[in-house]
């Protein structure tokens, strides 16, 4: 894979950072688009495409040749240590070599401090510690919020539409906090093929977009989802659980990528966020699109049950269907409990919080959860048997026995 020298151009009211990409798949262009008012944050180094395309290049087994300059520190860390982490997470990836044309030694970091912001519990917890808290040291106090479009909103035009919708929803929060919202649109998602889904690979995607802004940002704070006790480098669970290890490896001499929030459990974060009045009208935790949190998906249920245990549900009556939740609480609780505890650290934390708070879950809820679980297993087995029957039938009709 060859990553070309970046070209930065003003187009209408945006600034576009572009690089030409040559690979075995052919010639393509990778771009990041930022509102023109934030154009002075945009770097001219090749660090961002290098981080963004490392996993796709490792999946294809292609060495990366770079025509533009990259950070010396990034070159060192991406040449072996970071690849080792990613190969533990996705064992099909192959080790590759980096061939830079120029290495940039130490430079002076810029003063900006940004956080990725989606309006969820993790993001608001970062605001609590790095914006609202009077105890935050100056070098860690936020100056900007960033929302990226690198795969978390879905693919193609549909993903871009949801990205725009979420930007519009978060703009009033940004205005209320006085922190400007930097929107980074990109086609980076289109470089990630089968088996490299967003949940598996979101760390280098999100940090690639942050690296585009390193001319004006000296620190970028990434809101983690998991407690330190759940940090894990291994297959099947994605790069998110590796972040305390990978973010220092993806940092350069001029931008410190920092993963925060690992000191809290999910219920602790939720209760902290519930003290921020700015979150009451905009908290967005839902896995589905829509102007309000659906109040049924696992993300919504996790938050609703925690707020319920803490007696704070009514603070979010504009964001959730609280009446529907209360009317169907036992049924929704059973649905929440149907997966085995070892499947989800965040779910386990909510149950521990219920126990600690003496919040009683009726026996009938556990029995129903068990019933749902047995039903799910039976449905899965039936689907599996049907697939085998279809496959066998196809072989017979092909004349193969
Ligand atoms: Zn939902």
């Amino acid at each position: 894979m060859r990553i070309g020298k970046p070209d930065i151009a003003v187009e209408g009211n945006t600034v576009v950072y572009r690089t030409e990409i040559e690979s075995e798949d052919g010639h393509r262009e990778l771009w990041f688009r930022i509102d023109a008012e934030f154009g002075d944050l945009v770097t001219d180094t090749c660090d961002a495409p290098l981080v963004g395309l490392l996993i796709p290049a490792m999946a294809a087994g292609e060495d990366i040749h770079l025509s533009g300059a990259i950070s010396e520190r990034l070159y060192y860390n991406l040449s072996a240590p970071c690849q080792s982490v990613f190969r533990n997470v996705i064992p099909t990836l192959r080790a590759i070599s980096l061939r830079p044309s120029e290495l940039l030694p130490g430079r002076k970091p810029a003063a900006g401090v940004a956080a990725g912001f989606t309006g969820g519990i993790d993001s608001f917890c970062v605001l609590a510690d790095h914006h609202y808290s009077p105890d935050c040291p100056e070098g860690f106090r936020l100056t900007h919020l960033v929302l990226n479009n690198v795969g978390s909103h879905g693919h193609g035009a549909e993903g871009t539409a949801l990205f725009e919708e979420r930007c519009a929803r978060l703009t009033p929060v940004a205005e209320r906090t006085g922190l400007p919202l930097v929107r980074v649109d990109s086609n980076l998602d289109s470089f990630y093929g089968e088996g490299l889904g967003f949940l598996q690979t979101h760390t280098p995607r999100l940090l690639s977009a942050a690296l585009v802004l390193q001319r004006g940002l000296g620190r970028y704070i990434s809101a983690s989802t998991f407690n330190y006790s759940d940090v894990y480098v291994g297959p099947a669970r994605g790069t998110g659980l590796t972040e305390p290890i990978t973010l220092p490896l993806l940092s350069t001499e001029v931008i410190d990528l920092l993963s925060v929030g690992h000191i809290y459990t999910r219920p602790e974060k939720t209760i902290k966020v519930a003290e921020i009045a700015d979150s009451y009208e905009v908290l967005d935790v839902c896995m589905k699109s829509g102007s309000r949190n659906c109040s049924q998906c696992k993300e919504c249920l996790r938050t609703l049950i925690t707020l319920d245990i803490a007696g704070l549900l009514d603070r979010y009556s504009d964001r959730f269907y609280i009446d529907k939740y209360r009317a169907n609480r036992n049924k929704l609780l059973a649905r929440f409990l149907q997966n085995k505890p070892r499947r989800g650290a965040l779910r386990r934390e909510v149950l521990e919080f219920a126990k600690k708070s003496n919040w009683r879950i009726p026996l009938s809820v556990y029995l129903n959860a068990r019933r749902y679980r047995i039903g799910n297993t039976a449905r899965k087995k039936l689907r599996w048997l049907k697939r085998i029957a279809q496959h066998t039938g196809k072989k017979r009709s092909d004349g193969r026995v």
Side-chain angles (χ1 to χ4, degrees):
M1 178 182 288
R2 180 168 292 282
I3 298 178
K5 220 171 181 169
D7 174 58
I8 298 151
V10 177
E11 289 182 12
N13 55 1
T14 63
V15 168
V16 185
Y17 171 108
R18 280 199 175 82
T19 43
E20 304 290 327
I21 310 297
E22 297 279 354
S23 72
E24 283 176 12
D25 283 345
H27 176 261
R28 298 179 66 189
E29 191 177 78
L30 168 65
W31 53 263
F32 296 89
R33 186 183 297 275
I34 296 105
D35 290 338
E37 62 179 301
F38 302 113
D40 56 346
L41 304 181
V42 177
T43 182
D44 58 0
T45 71
C46 256
D47 297 333
L50 170 60
V51 167
L53 297 177
L54 182 67
I55 286 183
M58 290 174 73
E62 293 184 41
D63 292 344
I64 299 180
H65 299 258
L66 295 124
S67 305
I70 59 164
S71 146
E72 189 180 59
R73 173 179 164 156
L74 202 58
Y75 169 69
Y76 176 80
N77 283 325
L78 263 56
S79 289
C82 199
Q83 289 191 37
S84 170
V85 176
F86 289 159
R87 290 179 72 203
N88 272 295
V89 176
I90 307 171
T92 52
L93 297 181
R94 283 176 272 176
I96 59 167
S97 297
L98 306 183
R99 312 274 183 213
S101 59
E102 184 187 351
L103 293 179
L104 296 169
R107 291 157 287 152
K108 195 171 178 291
V113 181
F117 188 71
T118 61
I121 293 288
D122 298 327
S123 292
F124 268 109
C125 189
V126 171
L127 277 189
D129 285 343
H130 296 266
H131 176 66
Y132 294 104
S133 168
D135 302 325
C136 181
E138 269 323 292
F140 291 78
R141 189 170 288 285
L142 296 178
T143 59
H144 295 77
L145 301 175
V146 176
L147 183 65
N148 302 308
N149 182 21
V150 289
S152 62
H153 314 288
H155 309 296
E158 214 173 286
T160 304
L162 186 55
F163 168 64
E164 294 293 346
E165 187 190 313
R166 286 179 169 157
C167 283
R169 208 182 304 157
L170 293 176
T171 300
V173 191
E175 283 168 0
R176 219 173 290 174
T177 56
L179 298 171
L181 181 68
V182 184
R183 302 153 13 122
V184 185
D185 193 7
S186 176
N187 68 339
L188 180 62
D189 177 55
S190 66
F191 286 82
Y192 283 71
E194 210 176 312
L196 302 177
F198 184 76
L199 290 178
Q200 271 289 87
T201 58
H202 74 266
T203 306
R205 295 182 186 221
L206 292 168
L207 277 312
S208 168
L211 286 166
V212 172
L213 308 173
Q214 62 178 313
R215 185 192 290 276
L217 299 179
R219 180 158 284 134
Y220 183 87
I221 295 173
S222 176
S224 76
T225 303
F226 297 96
N227 187 269
Y228 274 122
S229 60
D230 294 306
V231 170
Y232 170 75
V233 179
R237 294 170 65 187
T239 55
L241 292 171
T242 69
E243 286 185 353
I245 296 161
T246 38
L247 264 62
L249 299 177
L250 299 175
S251 298
T252 71
E253 291 80 357
V254 292
I255 188 165
D256 175 29
L257 306 175
L258 190 64
S259 183
V260 304
H262 301 283
I263 59 171
Y264 303 115
T265 63
R266 181 74 172 193
E268 283 168 350
K269 281 185 192 169
T270 308
I271 290 164
K272 208 171 170 66
V273 169
E275 295 307 312
I276 303 175
D278 286 339
S279 72
Y280 299 163
E281 287 172 22
V282 290
L283 184 71
D284 184 0
V285 299
C286 191
M287 294 168 81
K288 300 176 184 172
S289 61
S291 57
R292 229 173 180 193
N293 295 295
C294 79
S295 309
Q296 300 211 7
C297 71
K298 70 174 181 186
E299 296 286 347
C300 282
L301 286 179
R302 198 155 55 202
T303 309
L304 279 166
I305 294 166
T306 305
L307 290 168
D308 195 4
I309 297 168
L312 300 169
L313 261 184
D314 291 318
R315 292 189 186 179
Y316 291 94
S317 52
D318 287 341
R319 295 299 301 138
F320 292 96
Y321 299 97
I322 302 283
D323 291 343
K324 265 193 196 166
Y325 164 78
R326 283 196 170 117
N328 298 292
R329 177 166 27 206
N330 283 355
K331 199 173 155 195
L332 294 170
L333 266 173
R335 202 184 292 167
F336 179 70
L337 290 173
Q338 67 183 296
N339 292 321
K340 288 180 184 168
R342 64 183 163 78
R343 295 271 171 84
L346 303 180
R347 180 182 160 280
R348 186 194 66 225
E349 288 174 356
V350 174
L351 288 179
E352 283 168 4
F353 178 54
K355 201 172 165 191
K356 218 188 309 174
S357 310
N358 291 322
W359 199 75
R360 262 199 75 246
I361 298 173
L363 181 64
S364 60
V365 168
Y366 286 106
L367 293 174
N368 279 335
R370 191 158 180 271
R371 201 161 52 87
Y372 289 153
R373 191 154 61 227
I374 292 167
N376 282 344
T377 313
R379 271 192 293 277
K380 259 187 216 161
K381 275 191 182 154
L382 201 63
R383 275 202 299 272
W384 182 67
L385 286 171
K386 265 187 191 167
R387 267 208 300 273
I388 289 181
Q390 274 168 359
H391 184 65
T392 315
K394 192 171 174 285
K395 265 176 144 181
R396 285 204 179 119
S397 67
D398 288 348
R400 294 179 280 142
V401 182

